[in-house]
């Protein structure tokens, strides 16, 4: 990316929003009530990713409320996709730290101060995330905890630790704090994975920047003192939605593994991704034989394994499609 310039704030809270008019007031009220913020300078950035509701009017009203507390800024990002919204937030942020919140994440009163303190104490941390608890509209299905990480719920205990980026064990992009210097030094201007668009639910846009940070030598931490609450509406627990998420998270696996792979390793990653997930599929079928029809969690897991197994072929299909499109455009 372009050279990092001097900034005059400590933290920018960045909120990508899409049709979030009913959700944004809740998160903005929570941010207005943050404690311990007198120890640093901060701002809030709303990146509107082509909302068709009255998101802009909501932000205009809150800008009057926030006057004198912290600066609330609004930007319209016309390029559709979560990755584009986050890249725009990074470009516009005036803070040395960028604290990402989705518009359905409600931070605890001390979330921002705990994020700031952790950054001071861990200068080699390029990114850090905390505990993300589920706030459910309806009761989740039995054994939901086995797949809750796919819905950005992370409850990993009370001890801090380094995430295992080499095995794609990383935090979600929501409720994530990144050091702007680390992002500018490590993350490309253009990301491969754009986010879930239209009927496509291909994921991985949260993990891609973190893998670049890891590749550049920055640490990625779990900080248990940061708490947020992810609002989960009933439709996110329905069968069709969950299975779409499972497939979307699986299809990006090979592409994510390529980021930290050397050229000579890529054929090995190709084979290991297929065979490793084939083994998981067979084991899962044996373990849950006769149960998949009525066991939503087991069905979700095997959908994820199948999509992960197919992810190298999915990558080749997309890559060849782009090459053919470029040739036809000449």
């Amino acid at each position: 990316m372009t050279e990092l310039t001097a900034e005059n704030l400590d933290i920018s809270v960045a909120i990508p929003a899409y049709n979030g008019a009913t959700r944004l007031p809740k998160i903005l009220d929570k941010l207005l009530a943050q404690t311990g913020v007198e120890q640093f300078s901060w701002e809030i950035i709303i990146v509107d990713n082509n909302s068709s509701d009255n998101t802009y009017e909501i932000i205009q009203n809150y800008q009057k409320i926030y006057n004198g507390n912290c600066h609330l800024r609004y930007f319209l990002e016309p390029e559709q996709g979560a990755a584009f919204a986050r890249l725009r937030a990074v470009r516009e942020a005036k803070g040395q730290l960028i604290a990402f919140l989705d518009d359905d994440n409600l931070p605890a009163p001390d979330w921002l101060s705990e994020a700031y303190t952790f950054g001071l104490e861990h200068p080699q941390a390029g990114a850090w995330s905390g505990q993300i608890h589920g706030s459910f509209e309806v009761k989740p299905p039995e054994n939901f905890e086995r797949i809750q990480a796919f819905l950005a719920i992370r409850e990993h205990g009370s001890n801090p630790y380094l995430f295992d980026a080499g095995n794609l064990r990383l935090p979600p992009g929501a409720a994530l704090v990144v050091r702007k210097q680390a992002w500018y030094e490590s993350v490309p201007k253009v990301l491969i994975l754009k986010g879930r668009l239209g009927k496509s639910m291909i994921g991985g846009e949260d993990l891609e920047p973190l893998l670049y940070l890891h590749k550049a030598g920055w640490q990625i931490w779990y900080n248990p003192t940061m708490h947020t609450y992810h609002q989960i509406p009933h439709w996110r627990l329905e069968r069709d939605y969950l299975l779409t998420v499972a497939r979307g998270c699986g299809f990006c696996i090979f592409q994510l593994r390529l980021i930290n792979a050397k050229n000579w390793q890529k054929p090995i990653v190709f084979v290991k991704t297929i065979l490793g997930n084939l083994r998981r599929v067979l084991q899962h079928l044996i373990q849950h034989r006769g149960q998949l029809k009525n066991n939503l969690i087991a069905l979700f897991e095997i959908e994820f394994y199948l999509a992960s197994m197919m992810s190298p072929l999915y990558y080749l299909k997309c890559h060849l499609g782009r090459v053919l499109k470029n040739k036809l455009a000449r």
Side-chain angles (χ1 to χ4, degrees):
M1 297 187 71
T2 56
E3 184 180 353
L4 182 64
T5 57
E7 304 293 351
N8 57 7
L9 295 177
D10 294 311
I11 302 180
S12 297
V13 178
I15 307 173
Y18 176 71
N19 289 342
T22 59
R23 299 183 296 275
L24 282 167
K26 295 179 182 179
I27 184 173
L28 290 172
D29 287 342
K30 291 289 186 182
L31 289 171
L32 193 62
Q34 287 290 295
T35 60
V37 293
E38 63 280 352
Q39 64 182 312
F40 50 79
S41 57
W42 64 298
E43 66 172 353
I44 300 171
I45 297 173
I46 306 293
V47 181
D48 184 349
N49 204 195
N50 294 319
S51 297
S52 58
D53 61 6
N54 61 328
T55 288
Y56 179 61
E57 288 77 9
I58 294 293
I59 301 308
Q60 282 186 309
N61 291 333
Y62 268 89
Q63 283 175 327
K64 301 171 187 175
I65 298 172
Y66 267 86
N67 185 31
N69 292 280
C70 79
H71 199 188
L72 174 59
R73 299 194 291 149
Y74 170 92
F75 299 95
L76 176 65
E77 174 48 57
E79 197 79 45
Q80 198 70 44
F84 293 109
R86 291 194 179 116
L87 286 168
R88 178 66 180 274
V90 172
R91 291 198 303 271
E92 302 292 351
K94 294 181 179 179
Q96 297 296 325
L97 304 179
I98 305 171
F100 288 104
L101 286 170
D102 283 356
D103 59 15
D104 56 5
N105 292 127
L106 300 182
D110 61 349
W111 182 77
L112 203 54
S113 62
E114 291 292 343
Y116 177 72
T117 300
F118 191 87
L120 290 179
E121 294 173 349
H122 297 78
Q124 296 305 313
W128 51 101
S129 180
Q131 301 198 52
I132 307 175
H133 311 284
S135 179
F136 300 97
E137 185 179 16
V138 298
K139 185 179 179 181
E142 186 178 359
N143 296 319
F144 175 75
E145 65 276 1
R146 290 192 348 222
I147 66 166
Q148 66 179 10
F150 290 89
L151 271 69
I153 298 172
R154 305 296 172 95
E155 296 166 317
H156 296 165
S158 57
N159 296 317
Y161 65 83
L162 283 168
F163 280 101
D164 183 8
N167 288 306
L168 302 185
R169 295 189 179 98
L170 289 164
L176 176 76
V177 183
V178 299
R179 199 177 300 277
K180 192 176 183 182
Q181 176 190 355
W183 186 292
Y184 267 70
E185 290 178 356
S186 313
V187 180
K189 287 182 181 180
V190 179
L191 296 174
I192 301 168
L193 299 165
K194 312 302 183 187
R196 298 174 174 92
L197 298 172
K199 295 181 179 180
S200 171
M201 289 289 284
I202 304 303
E205 76 281 359
D206 287 2
L207 305 188
E208 186 181 353
L210 293 175
L211 289 169
Y212 291 122
L213 292 176
H214 172 69
K215 187 176 183 179
W218 289 94
Q219 297 175 349
I220 302 169
W221 280 87
Y222 168 71
N223 173 20
T225 65
M226 294 163 52
H227 295 265
T228 53
Y229 298 84
H230 187 194
Q231 301 170 89
I232 308 290
H234 67 90
W235 54 268
R236 284 193 173 181
L237 298 176
E238 293 174 356
R239 182 182 184 277
D240 288 348
Y241 177 82
L242 285 175
L243 296 185
T244 302
V245 169
R247 289 188 288 271
C249 291
F251 278 135
C252 68
I253 288 295
F254 177 68
Q255 202 150 1
L256 290 172
R257 292 198 180 280
L258 288 183
I259 291 173
N260 284 327
K262 296 179 174 62
N263 286 334
W264 66 268
Q265 294 174 318
K266 291 179 180 180
I268 299 173
V269 174
F270 186 97
V271 174
K272 286 182 68 174
T273 301
I274 293 176
L275 294 183
N277 282 287
L278 175 60
R279 176 180 55 81
R280 295 164 86 184
V281 167
L282 294 175
Q283 288 177 340
H284 204 68
L285 286 172
I286 293 170
Q287 182 180 355
H288 297 283
R289 58 183 178 275
Q291 302 177 15
L292 292 179
K293 185 176 181 180
N294 300 313
N295 187 333
L296 178 57
I297 303 304
L299 185 58
F300 180 103
E301 290 168 330
I302 200 165
E303 285 286 339
F304 172 67
Y305 299 151
L306 283 167
S308 298
M309 182 179 70
M310 297 298 293
S311 64
L313 304 179
Y314 181 84
Y315 168 80
L316 288 179
K317 174 187 172 184
C318 294
H319 180 69
L320 292 173
R322 286 193 296 268
V323 170
L324 181 60
K325 182 179 178 180
N326 290 336
K327 286 185 176 180
L328 292 175
R330 291 174 183 172

